[in-house]
Structures are given as C-alpha cells and as structure tokens.
Amino acid sequence: MWPKSIIAFLGGLLLSVSIMLSLYLLVPLAIDIKLLLGLLSGFIIWVAVMVYCYSFNKGKDVAFACGKLLILSLVVNAVLFWSYTPL
C-alpha cells in the first residue's frame, strides 16, 4: 500500500503540473485567469490521477501507468514549448 501511495502522490503532482503547463500554453486568456484556472484545475487533475493510480494492485503497475502518462504529457509540453511564439 505504501509504494502505491507514494507513487500516486508524487506521480499525481508531476502529472498535474505537466498537464497544467500544456493548458497554460494553449489557453488564450489573461494571465490572472490562467493562474486561477491552473490553481483550480491542477488540484482536480491531481486528485483524479491519484484515484486512477489507486485502481492498480501493485506499485510497479502504478509506476508504469503514471510513467506512460507523464512521458506523453512531457512530449506534448516539449512540442508546445518549442512551437509557441508569443505575440
């Protein structure tokens, strides 16, 4: 139970920050609205990832599932970061 909890906690934090970075680069709103949206959505995404991670039986399966999602999110962040051109 402890390995699953630790991986879910840290993986959820990393994944929510990564997803919120992608959303930050995609949403064309004012900076204060982006920050508020990031604060509210980040917590919801973190909780959703933790619930998803608790659906697995072993810590190794949790790490593999969170790792796949994190790698996908990091690739999307890299593409958005290198193609983003501020006005």
Side-chain angles (χ1 to χ4, degrees), residues 74-86:
L74 290 175
V75 168
V76 169
N77 282 335
V79 168
L80 287 174
F81 179 75
W82 294 110
S83 66
Y84 180 71
T85 54

Side-chain angles (χ1 to χ4, degrees), residues 18-31 34-35 37-38 80 84:
S18 182
I19 290 171
M20 290 316 303
L21 178 62
S22 296
L23 187 64
Y24 179 82
L25 291 173
L26 289 174
V27 176
L29 297 172
I31 187 71
K34 284 184 183 181
L35 290 173
L37 182 67
L80 287 174
Y84 180 71

Side-chain angles (χ1 to χ4, degrees), residues 20-65:
M20 290 316 303
L21 178 62
S22 296
L23 187 64
Y24 179 82
L25 291 173
L26 289 174
V27 176
L29 297 172
I31 187 71
D32 54 346
I33 297 173
K34 284 184 183 181
L35 290 173
L36 180 64
L37 182 67
L39 179 68
L40 296 176
S41 301
F43 182 72
I44 293 169
I45 291 170
W46 178 56
V47 169
V49 169
M50 286 188 66
V51 169
Y52 173 69
C53 288
Y54 277 113
S55 68
F56 293 99
N57 291 328
K58 298 180 183 175
K60 189 172 158 181
D61 296 336
V62 173
F64 187 68

